[in-house]
């Protein structure tokens, strides 16, 4: 078997890479895939706490590349979702503790046994970023509807192409923290605007919602909750990764039609 | 208040400003030529053109612009004395 490795990256910090890695990975596992979430943010690990698995860490990624243990031994099995595993980053080392070739080898080894490896990339475009992208077949670029985030995403697109050998056709973007109330007032960039500027296909659109903070507080992936717009957005994104045609939610219509629908309470 | 312009989506919000600014920033970011290269090219161009025309080097303008999805280098080179005509002609 050879699985697929996907790096979740952004350039800009704090836009939702870790949240996306956790929820996209959990959604893929809920669909019956075997998934490893690999935390490549060495020194600033967080995927463990977002997933609520921080108390179960024995070995980490550095132990594996230094051959202290096998990668199997370092994996933490998520008891809530069948087929979901976490490979934690080291917290006390820095980004130079691993080399791109080591990362590549590790990901190849995992891919031989699992369907998906989702790599949570650190912010920035330095060594940590280069390590994280070195073993990736595809990339999901997380972007928020703000100038600085879109600009950084564009830089990352260029670097993934040049330094990561990831072709444009294997890049997807996930627009996070969109606020439709602001989009309607034309005070926020909309998805088609960002798509036009970055010229890569849209994998998902996730609303800005306080439930993300609540689920992080609890250490539970949000996709486990049923009636939640963020959860649905991540499930849809996972479905698209699996090759399904899933229409984008058009409840949030703009212009006249939207205004009429909203007037009659048929849309938000 | 019932705002007709808002209803028809005619008002121009800050997102259009953001989009326009981004468009220009990305053109510069994506341009494979560095600022140094542009400066060097500018000097060379001035030298070549000065062989034929008297130009106002203080008012020279070089910039990258997007035109129909393509990026163009646009140079604005003011000629000081048009009556002199082409040098050496
Ligand atoms: N859709 C959302 N709605 C509301 N809050 C969100 C959303 N997505 C992310 N956040 C919040 O934004 C913050 C940053 O998220 P996250 O840690 O996933 O970003 P990151 O890109 O991994 O950051 P870093 O660059 O530091 O690794 C968190 O507090 C998270 O709860
Ligand atoms: Mg993170």
């Amino acid at each position: 078997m050879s699985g697929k490795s996907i790096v979740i990256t952004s350039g800009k910090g704090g836009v939702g890479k870790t949240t996306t890695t956790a929820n996209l990975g959990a959604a893929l596992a809920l669909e019956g895939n075997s998934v490893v979430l690999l935390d490549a943010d060495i020194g600033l690990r967080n995927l463990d706490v977002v997933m609520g698995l921080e108390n179960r860490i024995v070995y980490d990624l550095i132990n594996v590349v230094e051959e202290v243990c096998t990668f199997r031994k370092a994996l933490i099995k998520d008891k809530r979702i069948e087929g979901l595993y976490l490979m934690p980053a080291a917290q006390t080392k820095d980004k130079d503790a691993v080399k791109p070739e080591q990362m590549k080898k590790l990901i190849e080894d995992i891919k031989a046994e699992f369907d998906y490896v989702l790599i949570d990339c650190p912010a920035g475009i330095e060594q940590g970023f280069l390590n994280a992208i070195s073993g990736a077949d595809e990339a999901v670029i997380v972007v928020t509807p703000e100038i600085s985030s879109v600009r950084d995403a564009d830089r990352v697109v260029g670097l993934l192409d040049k330094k990561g050998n990831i072709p444009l056709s294997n890049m997807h973007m996930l627009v996070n923290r969109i606020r439709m109330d602001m989009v309607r007032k034309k005070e926020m960039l909309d998805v088609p605007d960002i798509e036009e500027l970055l010229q890569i296909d849209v994998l998902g659109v996730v609303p800005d919602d306080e439930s993300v903070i609540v689920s992080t507080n609890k250490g539970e992936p949000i996709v486990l909750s049923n009636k939640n717009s963020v959860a649905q957005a991540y499930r849809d994104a996972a479905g698209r990764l699996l090759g399904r045609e899933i229409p984008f939610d058009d409840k949030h219509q703009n212009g006249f039609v939207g205004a009429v629908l909203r007037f009659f309470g048929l849309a938000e | 208040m019932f705002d007709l312009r808002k209803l028809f989506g005619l008002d121009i919000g800050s997102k259009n400003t953001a989009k326009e600014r981004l468009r220009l920033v990305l053109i510069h970011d994506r341009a494979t030529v560095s600022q140094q290269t542009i400066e060097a090219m500018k000097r060379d161009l001035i030298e070549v053109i000065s062989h034929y025309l008297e130009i106002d080097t203080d008012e020279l303008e070089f910039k990258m612009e997007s035109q129909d999805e393509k990026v163009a280098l646009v140079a604005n080179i003011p000629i000081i004395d048009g009556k002199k005509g082409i040098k050496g002609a």
Side-chain angles (χ1 to χ4, degrees):
Chain A
M1 166 158 99
S2 184
K4 219 184 245 179
S5 54
I6 306 172
V7 64
I8 319 296
T9 184
S10 66
K12 189 172 157 65
V15 296
K17 294 177 291 295
T18 301
T19 307
T20 297
T21 308
N23 287 289
L24 199 56
L28 285 168
L30 287 171
E31 294 271 358
N33 298 283
S34 55
V35 180
V36 171
L37 309 176
L38 190 155
D39 193 344
D41 201 345
I42 296 160
L44 286 172
R45 77 173 174 214
N46 267 326
L47 192 51
D48 55 337
V49 285
V50 171
M51 292 295 296
L53 299 172
E54 70 273 19
N55 293 325
R56 295 182 47 207
I57 298 176
V58 181
Y59 297 107
D60 59 45
L61 191 148
I62 300 295
N63 297 140
V64 178
V65 297
E66 287 176 350
E67 297 183 350
V68 173
C69 67
T70 61
F71 86 78
R72 273 274 177 195
K73 205 145 189 205
L75 288 182
I76 301 166
K77 185 174 162 44
D78 190 314
K79 289 173 183 155
R80 297 157 298 194
I81 304 171
E82 179 69 33
L84 187 61
Y85 298 81
L86 170 72
M87 167 75 72
Q91 180 69 340
T92 50
K93 300 277 169 59
D94 62 34
K95 317 250 188 246
D96 304 318
V98 56
K99 295 188 191 69
E101 309 80 63
Q102 294 174 314
M103 198 71 151
K104 233 175 177 161
K105 159 110 184 16
L106 169 63
I107 291 168
E108 281 308 316
D109 290 348
I110 304 177
K111 268 164 54 177
E113 293 179 39
F114 291 83
D115 297 322
Y116 286 94
V117 185
L118 265 55
I119 307 152
D120 185 13
C121 184
I125 51 173
E126 295 83 25
Q127 196 53 47
F129 164 80
L130 295 173
N131 285 339
I133 68 170
S134 62
D137 305 318
E138 296 191 21
V140 170
I141 299 149
V142 181
V143 59
T144 58
E146 286 173 273
I147 291 198
S148 51
S149 174
V150 176
R151 182 191 198 177
D152 288 4
D154 192 68
R155 271 287 273 153
V156 162
V157 168
L159 291 170
L160 287 169
D161 179 40
K162 282 195 206 78
K163 308 240 160 136
N165 281 316
I166 300 174
L168 267 176
S169 55
N170 282 354
M171 295 183 206
H172 321 275
M173 66 169 173
L174 185 131
V175 181
N176 190 25
R177 310 198 69 160
I178 198 145
R179 286 183 49 187
M180 291 322 289
D181 56 333
M182 288 188 75
V183 168
R184 269 197 298 274
K185 288 185 209 136
K186 297 207 191 310
E187 301 289 4
M188 182 176 266
L189 290 165
D190 199 359
V191 179
D193 299 322
I194 303 172
E195 209 178 350
E196 185 190 321
L197 290 160
L198 295 181
Q199 302 275 318
I200 49 177
D201 80 278
V202 184
L203 183 72
V205 180
V206 179
D208 186 82
D209 196 276
E210 56 190 41
S211 61
V212 173
I213 295 169
V214 175
S215 78
T216 309
N217 288 344
K218 296 191 205 154
E220 275 171 14
I222 205 163
V223 288
L224 283 172
S225 53
N226 279 325
K227 284 190 177 166
N228 176 286
S229 57
V230 173
Q232 190 57 48
Y234 277 117
R235 282 193 294 264
D236 286 352
R240 292 186 194 104
L241 257 188
L242 295 167
R244 260 176 246 148
E245 282 280 336
I246 298 170
F248 286 90
D249 197 349
D250 53 3
K251 265 193 308 182
H252 313 290
Q253 292 226 35
N254 285 315
F256 184 69
V257 178
V260 171
L261 287 177
R262 275 193 300 284
F263 185 80
F264 291 107
L266 295 170
E268 7 179 297
Chain B
M1 250 299 279
F2 196 72
D3 189 339
L4 264 182
R5 294 200 327 143
K6 279 224 163 87
L7 180 70
F8 288 100
L10 290 176
D11 59 330
I12 302 171
S14 62
K15 85 124 183 198
N16 287 305
T17 316
K19 194 174 172 185
E20 213 33 61
R21 288 176 60 210
L22 260 168
R23 213 195 295 275
L24 292 173
V25 167
L26 294 191
I27 289 169
H28 276 272
D29 287 358
R30 284 173 189 168
T32 40
V33 273
S34 68
Q35 199 56 42
Q36 277 171 331
T37 314
I38 293 184
E39 288 302 323
M41 185 167 60
K42 208 158 139 181
R43 280 192 299 274
D44 285 351
L45 277 170
I46 293 172
E47 206 191 305
V48 172
I49 296 169
S50 312
H51 287 316
Y52 304 96
L53 296 167
E54 204 167 330
I55 57 180
D56 184 355
T57 48
D58 293 336
E59 297 291 310
L60 266 177
E61 244 186 11
F62 280 78
K63 58 184 178 199
M64 304 292 231
E65 270 185 18
S66 67
Q67 297 178 345
D68 314 319
E69 319 242 312
K70 286 206 185 79
V71 180
L73 172 68
V74 179
N76 188 1
I77 308 168
I79 297 164
I80 287 181
D81 192 352
K83 274 179 285 183
K84 266 192 184 165
I86 294 170
K87 281 190 193 170

